Amino acid sequence: MNFIKKTWGWMFLLLAVGMFMFCYLGSPYWAVYSIKQALADRNQEVIDSYIDFDSLRTNLKNQLTNQVKMLE
């Protein structure tokens, strides 16, 4: 009887770790899929919830400025 309790405990732990890893590794793919669907549906609210355009614009401007300075 003790063997069965240990087996079920290990099986539950393995299942819990497996579910955690599935969610952890799958979440970036789910985000990309959601953004792709929002772009296809032209749903601005969903896109805004995933992308911070003000921060993106600032960072892109800084990177382009640095690249132009390196070319001079």
Side-chain angles (χ1 to χ4, degrees):
M1 192 59 129
N2 195 16
F3 173 74
I4 293 173
K5 287 182 182 179
K6 285 184 180 180
T7 303
W8 280 106
W10 281 108
M11 287 177 64
F12 176 75
L13 180 64
L14 185 62
L15 180 65
V17 169
M19 291 293 290
F20 173 76
M21 292 302 292
F22 178 76
C23 292
Y24 181 75
L25 295 174
S27 63
Y29 297 104
W30 181 256
V32 170
Y33 173 76
S34 297
I35 293 171
K36 180 182 171 189
Q37 287 300 112
L39 287 171
D41 296 340
R42 297 181 184 261
N43 189 345
Q44 187 66 32
E45 292 176 2
V46 174
I47 296 169
D48 287 340
S49 70
Y50 280 102
I51 301 171
D52 182 11
F53 285 104
D54 293 331
S55 176
L56 177 67
R57 190 175 300 114
T58 303
N59 291 333
L60 188 59
K61 181 180 176 183
N62 291 337
Q63 289 178 16
L64 289 173
T65 302
N66 290 337
Q67 289 295 322
V68 169
K69 285 181 180 178
M70 288 177 63
L71 293 175
E72 293 177 346

